């Protein structure tokens, strides 16, 4: 996970499946560490104002797309996240547990310490 150390972005959920509809309009800041974890700050939506550390596993980096798994949900369920970096400051994100899904626009606040040319 060292490849993503220092990467930080804010995701604004714009759409979600029916089961995750309560997450629409939620906002989360995610900051990646070097020890297979990331810190999630819940800025708006369910559990706003809280922060927690969660495990993360980088599955693939393909061009401008990162695919990782993390326990993004408050109940600890793991989700697969597909993040496409559109520019050094913007991206699109899709998260799914295999049944439910959400989509978000992303504001990139800091590229990884080992900055990739996206």
């Amino acid at each position: 996970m060292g490849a993503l150390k220092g990467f930080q972005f804010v995701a604004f959920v714009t759409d979600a499946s029916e089961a995750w509809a309560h997450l629409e309009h939620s906002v989360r800041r995610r900051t990646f560490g070097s020890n297979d974890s990331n810190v999630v700050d819940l800025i708006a939506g369910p559990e706003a104002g809280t922060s927690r550390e969660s495990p993360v596993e980088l599955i693939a980096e393909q061009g401008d797309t990162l695919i990782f798994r993390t326990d993004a949900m408050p109940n600890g369920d793991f989700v697969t996240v597909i993040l496409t970096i559109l520019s050094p400051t913007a991206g699109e994100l899709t998260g799914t547990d295999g049944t439910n899904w959400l989509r978000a626009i992303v504001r990139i606040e800091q590229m990884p310490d080992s900055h990739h040319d996206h």
Side-chain angles (χ1 to χ4, degrees):
M1 185 45 79
L4 295 179
K5 180 183 176 198
F7 186 39
Q8 181 173 296
F9 65 84
V10 176
F12 303 84
V13 178
T14 58
D15 196 15
S17 62
E18 187 175 329
W20 287 359
H22 64 285
L23 297 173
E24 284 187 45
H25 310 296
S26 65
V27 181
R28 297 175 182 208
R29 174 176 286 114
R30 189 174 295 272
T31 305
F32 292 82
S34 59
N35 58 348
D36 294 334
S37 69
N38 59 160
V39 174
V40 179
D41 297 307
L42 300 151
I43 298 169
E47 299 186 27
T50 64
S51 180
R52 62 186 170 81
E53 187 172 347
S54 63
V56 64
E57 174 190 4
L58 179 63
I59 296 171
E61 180 178 2
Q62 299 176 341
D64 292 336
T65 300
L66 301 171
I67 303 169
F68 58 91
R69 286 188 46 80
T70 186
D71 72 336
M73 304 307 290
N75 62 4
D77 286 348
F78 273 79
V79 297
T80 300
V81 176
I82 300 101
L83 171 60
T84 301
I85 298 172
L86 303 173
S87 76
T89 59
E92 296 175 338
L93 179 149
T94 300
T96 183
D97 65 359
T99 302
N100 303 298
W101 55 270
L102 61 80
R103 291 190 187 104
I105 57 172
V106 171
R107 181 183 71 217
I108 297 170
E109 297 185 327
Q110 182 173 315
M111 293 300 280
D113 292 346
S114 59
H115 176 73
H116 296 78
D117 292 326
H118 292 284

